[in-house]
Amino acid sequence: MKRVLVTGGAGFIGSNFVHYLLREKNDIEILVNLDALTYAGNLENLTAIETDERYCFVKGDIRDKELVENLFSEYCFDTVVHFAAESHVDRSIEEPELFLTTNIVGTQTLLEAAKRHWKIHPEDKYSREYRGGVKYLQVSTDEVYGALGATGMFTETTPLSPNSPYSASKASADLVVRAYHETYGMPVNITRCSNNYGPYQFPEKLIPLMIHNASNDKALPIYGDGMQIRDWLHVSDHCAAIATVIEKGRVGEVYNIGGNNEKANIEIVRLILSELGKPESLITYVKDRPGHDRRYAIDNTKITTELGWKPQYTFEQGIAETIVWYQEHQDWLERITSGAYVNYYKKMYGDG
Ligand code: NAD
Ligand code: DAU
């Protein structure tokens, strides 16, 4: 991992990953962050590393073939880590087409450029002879497996059964990645992670939205009965898992990532209220999300036993730190919750 293309590096997990790589990996020569800066992309997440000479930001769309092709020619990447996506389930219900083009066509555009460049090119100014070509890592999600009942866990062989336009677009992208491996022999991996939490998450997602609302004494909108279960993982554990898969993952393999941390939504919300010293009367039950998946749970046996990764954070430590982080970054939150966010919030939740 010396010459790395990270897509979506101005978003939540992508920006955490950029910080992680520049901090943890001494052999990085260049890290290019390609991001379109949609509502979810925020360069403020990266101010601490923006002057690092190994780092380069490019504003652009992963669907822009010419731009992507030029980046591969110019930088001779040996590693591609593809985070860029439309990532919010509720928005996918409102605007499915955007999810299909960004998440599927965007992935195929990157794969095609990687395919053209992954073999050893003698004319390349950075010889790939000892690097074995471009390794491509697709950052996917446990949502591609659909929903679980009260028991069972997702393994890598669980059939894909996505239920939302978002998860259908991610599952489709995974199949395209698989096809590029099977057909062209490209060295790829797919990771499927459970719900992440931590710094820099856009406050449309459960945890930052509830912290933000509770801090401002606003209603906390719980979909349906609040008993849906998610399997939470601190974002820095996700970043370490991705790096582990790039370095040690067997080519062509899928790796599930999760921390055995199943919690019902209502439990999380109560915990946030209690940590912030706010009353449970702020909880408001609202109309359920259409097609709402009841339960996700990741079986992480493959990545833990085969690659030796394991999460470092307990949920108790991670959530406490995360709540403090959002409290200490009120300015960051205020800047991204003004403007377009106000209209989004009204559309989704009314004036509550
Ligand atoms: P995010 O919405 O916070 O960030 C997405 C980033 O992609 C933004 O910076 C945005 O500007 C960029 N982007 C969107 N469309 C683009 C385009 N056409 N061209 C270039 N850049 C574009 O998302 P996130 O929560 O950080 O998720 C990152 C990835 O991880 C996604 O692929 C998501 O499916 C996956 N994932 C997320 C979670 C989670 O809990 N958040 C869990 C598992 C997997
Ligand atoms: O499982 C991985 C996925 O986790 C990622 O692939 C997605 O990109 C990411 O957005 C996340 O999807 P979820 O739909 O699980 O996350 P979200 O934060 O939107 O919702 C978590 C749970 O909380 C879900 O059951 C819906 C519920 N919820 C969410 C919001 C925003 C509420 O009850 N009220 C809310 O206002």
Side-chain angles (χ1 to χ4, degrees):
M1 227 193 309
K2 288 188 163 62
R3 310 187 63 77
V4 185
L5 173 63
V6 172
T7 68
F12 163 47
I13 308 174
S15 60
N16 277 283
F17 187 72
V18 169
H19 284 285
Y20 175 88
L21 275 196
L22 293 175
R23 191 178 62 240
E24 301 289 332
K25 304 289 167 189
N26 293 330
D27 51 352
I28 301 283
E29 289 168 9
I30 182 84
L31 189 166
V32 175
N33 171 14
L34 171 62
D35 195 299
L37 298 183
T38 67
Y39 78 93
N42 185 354
L43 288 180
E44 248 195 87
N45 302 357
L46 295 158
T47 42
I49 54 87
E50 69 190 2
T51 56
D52 189 316
E53 56 192 23
R54 299 166 297 168
Y55 173 73
C56 169
F57 174 70
V58 177
K59 182 174 187 306
D61 196 310
I62 49 167
R63 293 163 295 183
D64 181 340
K65 285 185 194 167
E66 199 183 329
L67 169 68
V68 171
E69 178 64 36
N70 287 342
L71 289 178
F72 274 84
S73 298
E74 185 177 349
Y75 291 104
C76 299
F77 301 117
D78 55 41
T79 309
V80 176
V81 191
H82 179 32
F83 292 95
E86 288 295 336
S87 69
H88 192 39
V89 174
D90 294 329
R91 289 183 193 254
S92 82
I93 296 166
E94 301 295 312
E95 222 179 332
E97 189 180 344
L98 174 64
F99 281 67
L100 302 195
T101 61
T102 300
N103 297 357
I104 308 172
V105 177
T107 295
Q108 193 267 336
T109 307
L110 278 176
L111 283 165
E112 196 54 31
K115 172 160 79 75
R116 268 197 291 278
H117 290 265
W118 80 271
K119 292 203 171 115
I120 296 162
H121 291 259
E123 70 277 18
D124 278 355
K125 65 185 157 168
Y126 308 100
S127 165
R128 288 217 181 77
E129 242 171 320
Y130 63 98
R131 293 179 183 146
V134 183
K135 188 160 195 196
Y136 177 99
L137 188 134
Q138 177 76 3
V139 181
S140 187
T141 167
D142 60 357
E143 297 202 12
V144 299
Y145 297 122
L148 292 164
T151 57
M153 291 180 128
F154 298 133
T155 71
E156 289 79 358
T157 56
T158 301
L160 302 189
S161 187
N163 293 318
S164 70
Y166 163 69
S167 52
S169 69
K170 293 295 290 185
S172 306
D174 285 9
L175 295 180
V176 180
V177 175
R178 179 192 146 85
Y180 270 67
H181 172 66
E182 295 295 331
T183 305
Y184 307 113
M186 275 181 59
V188 305
N189 283 117
I190 297 172
T191 55
R192 296 189 179 134
C193 189
S194 59
N195 285 63
N196 284 212
Y197 68 96
Y200 301 120
Q201 187 166 32
F202 194 79
E204 63 188 351
K205 308 278 167 54
L206 181 77
I207 289 180
L209 185 140
M210 297 300 168
I211 297 173
H212 179 59
N213 283 16
S215 305
N216 291 290
D217 298 309
K218 276 184 72 174
L220 307 191
I222 307 267
Y223 298 160
D225 63 2
M227 292 306 291
Q228 298 80 11
I229 290 174
R230 298 291 181 266
D231 186 352
W232 295 93
L233 185 74
H234 193 277
V235 64
S236 65
D237 283 325
H238 187 187
C239 293
I242 289 172
T244 303
V245 173
I246 293 166
E247 287 167 349
K248 300 195 211 157
R250 280 183 295 132
V251 159
E253 292 292 312
V254 174
Y255 292 92
N256 283 353
I257 304 171
N260 295 319
N261 246 313
E262 289 184 53
K263 305 271 179 221
N265 296 337
I266 187 70
E267 244 186 285
I268 304 254
V269 170
R270 288 208 172 106
L271 180 65
I272 291 170
L273 285 170
S274 143
E275 292 273 328
L276 290 172
K278 299 287 181 175
E280 293 207 356
S281 55
L282 287 175
I283 292 174
T284 314
Y285 289 90
V286 300
K287 197 159 117 353
D288 207 353
R289 172 186 278 175
H292 199 170
D293 288 336
R294 194 69 182 164
R295 176 172 165 258
Y296 304 143
I298 281 278
D299 179 341
N300 66 10
T301 308
K302 184 171 173 183
I303 189 168
T304 52
T305 56
E306 199 180 287
L307 306 185
W309 169 87
K310 64 175 192 315
Q312 301 299 310
Y313 270 93
T314 61
F315 185 71
E316 291 64 32
Q317 181 199 354
I319 193 73
E321 272 185 35
T322 300
I323 292 170
V324 170
W325 188 90
Y326 284 94
Q327 285 179 302
E328 287 176 351
H329 290 78
Q330 293 285 347
D331 292 357
W332 178 90
L333 260 179
E334 291 316 319
R335 277 192 285 278
I336 58 174
T337 51
S338 53
Y341 183 84
V342 176
N343 294 332
Y344 165 80
Y345 198 89
K346 272 199 185 131
K347 188 171 165 203
M348 298 303 298
Y349 303 100
D351 288 321

